[in-house]
Structures are given as C-alpha cells and as structure tokens.
Amino acid sequence: MHYLSDFKDCAGRPVNARQIKEEKLKQLFDLLYAAGEMARADLARVTGLSPTTVSALVEELIRRGIFVEAGYAPTMQGGRRPINLRVNAQGRQIPTFTIRCSGVRFELYNLGMEVLEAFDLRFADGELEHSDEACTCLIADVLNGRSKCFSPQLAAGVCICIPGIYKPDRKAFMLCAGGELRLEVLEALERELQLPLFLGNELHCLTYMEAMRSAETESRGLIYVDVSRQVETCLYVNGDVYTGRDNYAGQLGHVSINYRGRPCSCGSRGCLERYVNTDAVLERIAEAAAFKRCRTLEQLTGGDMGKLTMEMIGRAYEAGEPVVVEVIDDIAEQLFAGVYAMVSITGVGRIALGGDIARMGPRFLERMQALARQTTGHHLLRGITIAYSDLDADAVSTGLVSYFIKKRFEINRR
C-alpha cells in the first residue's frame, strides 16, 4: 500500500528542515492518536523533545485543526493544572473508494474512523468492468459534487482499494475480475483532484486489520491466506504488511506442490492454486459425487450438481459424508503443504484463513490444526496457530484508512 508517487524513483531525496519538522509533527500525532489524551508535558517526556519544541508544534497542530484542547488533566500536584490534548476527529476527512465488479463503493471517514457518508455507484450499462474511465470517472464525480459531506479543504488524501496487484512491467494494477487500471490514468486523476492518492490491495487491507486485532501479532507476525477463486497470501511482519519490492510478494497460490502436476497460468506446473481454489474444489466434489452416491449433496442440490456451492460442500463435510470428507481432507493436506512452506520460510506462526474456504466449517479448521500438530517436530512450527478470519466486507476500507492514518498521513500535505 503506497502513495501513488511512491511508485516513482524517489532515491536521493535530501532530508531537509521541512521533513524533519514533519517527522516531529507526525510523532506527536501518532502518540496522541494512540493514547487518546495527553498533556503537553507528557508528550515532551515520552518523545524526548524539549517542552518549548513540543509547545510550538502543538500550537501548530491546533491551528491546523488536528489537535484540540480537551480540558484539564487530573493531577495530584498543586499549581497550574495541565491541559489535556486530543486528536480532533473532524479535523480531516479521508474519502475512500473500493472498486468492485459492479461499480465503486464510496465511504467518507474522519480521523476518528467514523463513517460520515457512504453509498454505492454502479457502472453504467455498456461500460467495461474495471475500465480506467469507468473507475476514475465515478471517483471524480463523487468528489466533485455528488458527495454531500465531503470537504476538499479537510481532505488528507484519497484512499482507493483495488482488487488486484501492481505490475511494474505494465505500469498498471491487474484486476482480479479482468482488465487493468493504468498508473498514468491514476496519476491524471491525482492531478485533477489535487489530492494525493493512496492505493491499497484488498488482501493487504484485510491482513492489516486481522493483525491489528491482537497486540501479540506485533511480535509473532501473521500470514493471511485467502482461498477463493485464487489462492492469495499476505504477510504481516515486523509491524507492517510485507509486499516485496514490486508489491507482488506472498504468492502462496504459486507454490508448487507437484512439479509434474496441472499446468498453471503462471507458466509452472502443480501450483497450489490449481488444486485448492473454489473452482477446483467444486470440480473435484462434482467428479467424486458422479462416481459415488452422495445423499447429502443430492438433497441440497436437488440432484443438479450445477447448483453445487461451497456452502453445500461445507454442510456435507460437517455431516461426515464419506465422498466429501475424502476430497476435502485431501484439499486440507494440500493447503497445509503450502502453509508449511510459508511458515518454514518466514518463521511466522499465526495463520488466518479467509475467503471461500471458511465455508468448509469447523471440521476443516480442525483438520488443518491436526496437521499442524503432527508437524510440531519442526521447530519453526512449534506453537503454530490456524484460525478462520471473521472479518466482514467493511474491513477492507477500514483497514485501508487505518493504515493510511498510521503509516502515510502527512500533517503538512496541504
């Protein structure tokens, strides 16, 4: 997840007085944002900055509308009572857009992570899904007047969540549902809006939100595995989402589990994604049910396997239907082989499973956990935990805004 400008070569920039000041302002902001309320003297004590410097910086933050005074702080000492400060939730706005197959979801946040306004915009009939023009026109339309609450003067930046990854060789975001969003089009939008664009990938946002749920993750790290139409992975380690040099790292789906196996679109063979994605699961269950009768699935589908869903498979698996159990247990072993590879490489021992695979229910999770216990002889797998993620769809935009405020919000951007 980066500012749009971060995809350009920024090497060799000098550290100047403005950047040093910005760093100090952000340090005070982050500290107060996490603490809720603090007095000026406490900010000076924690940061190690002089009281005079803190006082001057705080006055600037108050003048910019980012800090407000919150009343007298409790004290056991006599004399002048210190005044607490807090972040002014209304001091900035963060418009957020989540690109979907049918259109764009708009949500307007403040610094308190409150949603001030939200609505969906659909692509017009005849427009290509995820086309450059369709996406950017909807975003510009919202910020240029359709939104009733958005104030350009308060905007800290524009967050855009994209269901795809950035490909440097194409200078575009490759979208999961097809098509691409070119960097040059996003740069043109940034110039038109005169606001910085902050771009995030759905999986990165979910991983960040999952990691934020537990302080323990800060030290242990997290591997988020999404098994849906594809198998995608994101790593949270050392207090940040790891995406690699080109924001392409963590492709668990292309770990080979059979070098003579099925050909994959990546050019290799036997990739995990070819065996455990949603389509592969549906196909394998349908094939197995064609050879061995499965009463549970016959009842759920009405005898039409074309209506088979992951939810139906999960119910049959929980019911102990032998045909389904045999296939899904094998899929669990294949998925665990990929997880094992990731844990062995990274040493990260907390695994969160998301996407369609969660529809397999508790029995599948227990199978994965049992496989982990069987391999505890490997020292990297000691203490490994595997659980389903219960994040909802709103976690994508919430994660992006939360990351933006913590990692990328710049006080002097405007």
Side-chain angles (χ1 to χ4, degrees), residues 310-329:
M310 293 289 281
E311 288 83 357
M312 293 176 183
I313 295 173
R315 290 174 63 180
Y317 186 58
E318 285 292 315
E321 189 70 53
V323 175
V324 176
V325 169
E326 181 180 356
V327 173
I328 300 303
D329 277 355

PDB file of all heavy atoms in Angstrom, residues 310-329:
ATOM      1  N   MET A 310     -20.090 -23.871  -2.321  1.00  0.00           N
ATOM      2  CA  MET A 310     -19.154 -24.152  -1.238  1.00  0.00           C
ATOM      3  C   MET A 310     -19.901 -24.353   0.078  1.00  0.00           C
ATOM      4  O   MET A 310     -19.485 -25.167   0.907  1.00  0.00           O
ATOM      5  CB  MET A 310     -18.144 -23.015  -1.113  1.00  0.00           C
ATOM      6  CG  MET A 310     -17.185 -22.881  -2.284  1.00  0.00           C
ATOM      7  SD  MET A 310     -15.970 -24.213  -2.380  1.00  0.00           S
ATOM      8  CE  MET A 310     -14.784 -23.682  -1.131  1.00  0.00           C
ATOM      9  N   GLU A 311     -20.996 -23.635   0.264  1.00  0.00           N
ATOM     10  CA  GLU A 311     -21.780 -23.808   1.479  1.00  0.00           C
ATOM     11  C   GLU A 311     -22.354 -25.223   1.571  1.00  0.00           C
ATOM     12  O   GLU A 311     -22.351 -25.842   2.641  1.00  0.00           O
ATOM     13  CB  GLU A 311     -22.920 -22.783   1.538  1.00  0.00           C
ATOM     14  CG  GLU A 311     -22.487 -21.364   1.803  1.00  0.00           C
ATOM     15  CD  GLU A 311     -22.028 -20.641   0.534  1.00  0.00           C
ATOM     16  OE1 GLU A 311     -21.998 -21.293  -0.553  1.00  0.00           O
ATOM     17  OE2 GLU A 311     -21.698 -19.453   0.628  1.00  0.00           O
ATOM     18  N   MET A 312     -22.824 -25.726   0.462  1.00  0.00           N
ATOM     19  CA  MET A 312     -23.373 -27.088   0.422  1.00  0.00           C
ATOM     20  C   MET A 312     -22.284 -28.109   0.740  1.00  0.00           C
ATOM     21  O   MET A 312     -22.513 -29.070   1.494  1.00  0.00           O
ATOM     22  CB  MET A 312     -23.971 -27.376  -0.950  1.00  0.00           C
ATOM     23  CG  MET A 312     -25.200 -26.566  -1.281  1.00  0.00           C
ATOM     24  SD  MET A 312     -25.751 -26.918  -2.981  1.00  0.00           S
ATOM     25  CE  MET A 312     -27.134 -25.774  -3.144  1.00  0.00           C
ATOM     26  N   ILE A 313     -21.109 -27.899   0.145  1.00  0.00           N
ATOM     27  CA  ILE A 313     -19.999 -28.818   0.415  1.00  0.00           C
ATOM     28  C   ILE A 313     -19.633 -28.776   1.896  1.00  0.00           C
ATOM     29  O   ILE A 313     -19.382 -29.812   2.518  1.00  0.00           O
ATOM     30  CB  ILE A 313     -18.782 -28.456  -0.454  1.00  0.00           C
ATOM     31  CG1 ILE A 313     -19.117 -28.666  -1.930  1.00  0.00           C
ATOM     32  CG2 ILE A 313     -17.559 -29.288  -0.058  1.00  0.00           C
ATOM     33  CD1 ILE A 313     -18.047 -28.171  -2.885  1.00  0.00           C
ATOM     34  N   GLY A 314     -19.609 -27.582   2.466  1.00  0.00           N
ATOM     35  CA  GLY A 314     -19.303 -27.446   3.883  1.00  0.00           C
ATOM     36  C   GLY A 314     -20.298 -28.193   4.765  1.00  0.00           C
ATOM     37  O   GLY A 314     -19.911 -28.842   5.741  1.00  0.00           O
ATOM     38  N   ARG A 315     -21.565 -28.111   4.419  1.00  0.00           N
ATOM     39  CA  ARG A 315     -22.594 -28.820   5.206  1.00  0.00           C
ATOM     40  C   ARG A 315     -22.438 -30.330   5.084  1.00  0.00           C
ATOM     41  O   ARG A 315     -22.575 -31.067   6.077  1.00  0.00           O
ATOM     42  CB  ARG A 315     -23.983 -28.385   4.739  1.00  0.00           C
ATOM     43  CG  ARG A 315     -24.333 -26.945   5.125  1.00  0.00           C
ATOM     44  CD  ARG A 315     -25.639 -26.490   4.526  1.00  0.00           C
ATOM     45  NE  ARG A 315     -26.774 -27.288   5.016  1.00  0.00           N
ATOM     46  CZ  ARG A 315     -28.038 -27.094   4.649  1.00  0.00           C
ATOM     47  NH1 ARG A 315     -28.314 -26.128   3.772  1.00  0.00           N
ATOM     48  NH2 ARG A 315     -29.001 -27.834   5.136  1.00  0.00           N
ATOM     49  N   ALA A 316     -22.135 -30.804   3.873  1.00  0.00           N
ATOM     50  CA  ALA A 316     -21.938 -32.243   3.679  1.00  0.00           C
ATOM     51  C   ALA A 316     -20.679 -32.716   4.398  1.00  0.00           C
ATOM     52  O   ALA A 316     -20.642 -33.833   4.953  1.00  0.00           O
ATOM     53  CB  ALA A 316     -21.853 -32.560   2.190  1.00  0.00           C
ATOM     54  N   TYR A 317     -19.658 -31.889   4.412  1.00  0.00           N
ATOM     55  CA  TYR A 317     -18.412 -32.227   5.099  1.00  0.00           C
ATOM     56  C   TYR A 317     -18.639 -32.307   6.603  1.00  0.00           C
ATOM     57  O   TYR A 317     -18.179 -33.241   7.265  1.00  0.00           O
ATOM     58  CB  TYR A 317     -17.366 -31.165   4.764  1.00  0.00           C
ATOM     59  CG  TYR A 317     -15.977 -31.446   5.297  1.00  0.00           C
ATOM     60  CD1 TYR A 317     -15.298 -32.608   4.956  1.00  0.00           C
ATOM     61  CD2 TYR A 317     -15.343 -30.530   6.130  1.00  0.00           C
ATOM     62  CE1 TYR A 317     -14.018 -32.863   5.424  1.00  0.00           C
ATOM     63  CE2 TYR A 317     -14.061 -30.778   6.608  1.00  0.00           C
ATOM     64  CZ  TYR A 317     -13.406 -31.936   6.251  1.00  0.00           C
ATOM     65  OH  TYR A 317     -12.134 -32.184   6.727  1.00  0.00           O
ATOM     66  N   GLU A 318     -19.373 -31.346   7.144  1.00  0.00           N
ATOM     67  CA  GLU A 318     -19.681 -31.353   8.574  1.00  0.00           C
ATOM     68  C   GLU A 318     -20.533 -32.562   8.940  1.00  0.00           C
ATOM     69  O   GLU A 318     -20.411 -33.112  10.041  1.00  0.00           O
ATOM     70  CB  GLU A 318     -20.424 -30.065   8.964  1.00  0.00           C
ATOM     71  CG  GLU A 318     -19.546 -28.831   9.034  1.00  0.00           C
ATOM     72  CD  GLU A 318     -18.551 -28.906  10.181  1.00  0.00           C
ATOM     73  OE1 GLU A 318     -18.943 -29.280  11.304  1.00  0.00           O
ATOM     74  OE2 GLU A 318     -17.365 -28.620   9.943  1.00  0.00           O
ATOM     75  N   ALA A 319     -21.392 -32.977   8.000  1.00  0.00           N
ATOM     76  CA  ALA A 319     -22.257 -34.136   8.244  1.00  0.00           C
ATOM     77  C   ALA A 319     -21.507 -35.456   8.145  1.00  0.00           C
ATOM     78  O   ALA A 319     -22.054 -36.520   8.454  1.00  0.00           O
ATOM     79  CB  ALA A 319     -23.425 -34.127   7.259  1.00  0.00           C
ATOM     80  N   GLY A 320     -20.241 -35.401   7.708  1.00  0.00           N
ATOM     81  CA  GLY A 320     -19.432 -36.614   7.618  1.00  0.00           C
ATOM     82  C   GLY A 320     -19.707 -37.447   6.389  1.00  0.00           C
ATOM     83  O   GLY A 320     -19.424 -38.662   6.388  1.00  0.00           O
ATOM     84  N   GLU A 321     -20.221 -36.846   5.322  1.00  0.00           N
ATOM     85  CA  GLU A 321     -20.477 -37.574   4.083  1.00  0.00           C
ATOM     86  C   GLU A 321     -19.146 -38.112   3.544  1.00  0.00           C
ATOM     87  O   GLU A 321     -18.242 -37.332   3.226  1.00  0.00           O
ATOM     88  CB  GLU A 321     -21.111 -36.631   3.068  1.00  0.00           C
ATOM     89  CG  GLU A 321     -21.628 -37.302   1.826  1.00  0.00           C
ATOM     90  CD  GLU A 321     -22.865 -38.156   2.075  1.00  0.00           C
ATOM     91  OE1 GLU A 321     -23.841 -37.643   2.651  1.00  0.00           O
ATOM     92  OE2 GLU A 321     -22.826 -39.336   1.677  1.00  0.00           O
ATOM     93  N   PRO A 322     -18.977 -39.447   3.451  1.00  0.00           N
ATOM     94  CA  PRO A 322     -17.676 -40.044   3.110  1.00  0.00           C
ATOM     95  C   PRO A 322     -17.059 -39.498   1.821  1.00  0.00           C
ATOM     96  O   PRO A 322     -15.847 -39.239   1.774  1.00  0.00           O
ATOM     97  CB  PRO A 322     -17.994 -41.539   2.988  1.00  0.00           C
ATOM     98  CG  PRO A 322     -19.184 -41.741   3.870  1.00  0.00           C
ATOM     99  CD  PRO A 322     -19.997 -40.481   3.732  1.00  0.00           C
ATOM    100  N   VAL A 323     -17.856 -39.339   0.767  1.00  0.00           N
ATOM    101  CA  VAL A 323     -17.321 -38.866  -0.512  1.00  0.00           C
ATOM    102  C   VAL A 323     -16.707 -37.477  -0.349  1.00  0.00           C
ATOM    103  O   VAL A 323     -15.604 -37.196  -0.838  1.00  0.00           O
ATOM    104  CB  VAL A 323     -18.437 -38.825  -1.581  1.00  0.00           C
ATOM    105  CG1 VAL A 323     -17.896 -38.219  -2.882  1.00  0.00           C
ATOM    106  CG2 VAL A 323     -18.983 -40.212  -1.835  1.00  0.00           C
ATOM    107  N   VAL A 324     -17.415 -36.613   0.372  1.00  0.00           N
ATOM    108  CA  VAL A 324     -16.953 -35.230   0.564  1.00  0.00           C
ATOM    109  C   VAL A 324     -15.763 -35.193   1.510  1.00  0.00           C
ATOM    110  O   VAL A 324     -14.791 -34.460   1.277  1.00  0.00           O
ATOM    111  CB  VAL A 324     -18.108 -34.352   1.084  1.00  0.00           C
ATOM    112  CG1 VAL A 324     -17.609 -32.935   1.377  1.00  0.00           C
ATOM    113  CG2 VAL A 324     -19.247 -34.322   0.070  1.00  0.00           C
ATOM    114  N   VAL A 325     -15.828 -35.959   2.576  1.00  0.00           N
ATOM    115  CA  VAL A 325     -14.741 -35.977   3.566  1.00  0.00           C
ATOM    116  C   VAL A 325     -13.425 -36.379   2.920  1.00  0.00           C
ATOM    117  O   VAL A 325     -12.371 -35.775   3.178  1.00  0.00           O
ATOM    118  CB  VAL A 325     -15.085 -36.922   4.734  1.00  0.00           C
ATOM    119  CG1 VAL A 325     -13.857 -37.144   5.627  1.00  0.00           C
ATOM    120  CG2 VAL A 325     -16.225 -36.354   5.554  1.00  0.00           C
ATOM    121  N   GLU A 326     -13.462 -37.386   2.058  1.00  0.00           N
ATOM    122  CA  GLU A 326     -12.242 -37.862   1.410  1.00  0.00           C
ATOM    123  C   GLU A 326     -11.595 -36.744   0.574  1.00  0.00           C
ATOM    124  O   GLU A 326     -10.381 -36.525   0.642  1.00  0.00           O
ATOM    125  CB  GLU A 326     -12.556 -39.060   0.517  1.00  0.00           C
ATOM    126  CG  GLU A 326     -11.336 -39.629  -0.189  1.00  0.00           C
ATOM    127  CD  GLU A 326     -11.676 -40.828  -1.070  1.00  0.00           C
ATOM    128  OE1 GLU A 326     -12.849 -41.265  -1.068  1.00  0.00           O
ATOM    129  OE2 GLU A 326     -10.763 -41.312  -1.770  1.00  0.00           O
ATOM    130  N   VAL A 327     -12.403 -36.030  -0.193  1.00  0.00           N
ATOM    131  CA  VAL A 327     -11.871 -34.973  -1.061  1.00  0.00           C
ATOM    132  C   VAL A 327     -11.394 -33.775  -0.243  1.00  0.00           C
ATOM    133  O   VAL A 327     -10.292 -33.260  -0.451  1.00  0.00           O
ATOM    134  CB  VAL A 327     -12.942 -34.530  -2.084  1.00  0.00           C
ATOM    135  CG1 VAL A 327     -12.439 -33.311  -2.872  1.00  0.00           C
ATOM    136  CG2 VAL A 327     -13.290 -35.668  -3.029  1.00  0.00           C
ATOM    137  N   ILE A 328     -12.219 -33.316   0.696  1.00  0.00           N
ATOM    138  CA  ILE A 328     -11.883 -32.103   1.448  1.00  0.00           C
ATOM    139  C   ILE A 328     -10.705 -32.344   2.387  1.00  0.00           C
ATOM    140  O   ILE A 328      -9.868 -31.454   2.589  1.00  0.00           O
ATOM    141  CB  ILE A 328     -13.106 -31.580   2.221  1.00  0.00           C
ATOM    142  CG1 ILE A 328     -14.240 -31.249   1.242  1.00  0.00           C
ATOM    143  CG2 ILE A 328     -12.745 -30.334   3.026  1.00  0.00           C
ATOM    144  CD1 ILE A 328     -13.860 -30.228   0.171  1.00  0.00           C
ATOM    145  N   ASP A 329     -10.586 -33.544   2.943  1.00  0.00           N
ATOM    146  CA  ASP A 329      -9.404 -33.856   3.752  1.00  0.00           C
ATOM    147  C   ASP A 329      -8.132 -33.776   2.907  1.00  0.00           C
ATOM    148  O   ASP A 329      -7.086 -33.299   3.371  1.00  0.00           O
ATOM    149  CB  ASP A 329      -9.529 -35.255   4.366  1.00  0.00           C
ATOM    150  CG  ASP A 329     -10.356 -35.255   5.639  1.00  0.00           C
ATOM    151  OD1 ASP A 329     -10.756 -34.155   6.094  1.00  0.00           O
ATOM    152  OD2 ASP A 329     -10.597 -36.347   6.196  1.00  0.00           O
TER     153      ASP A 329
END
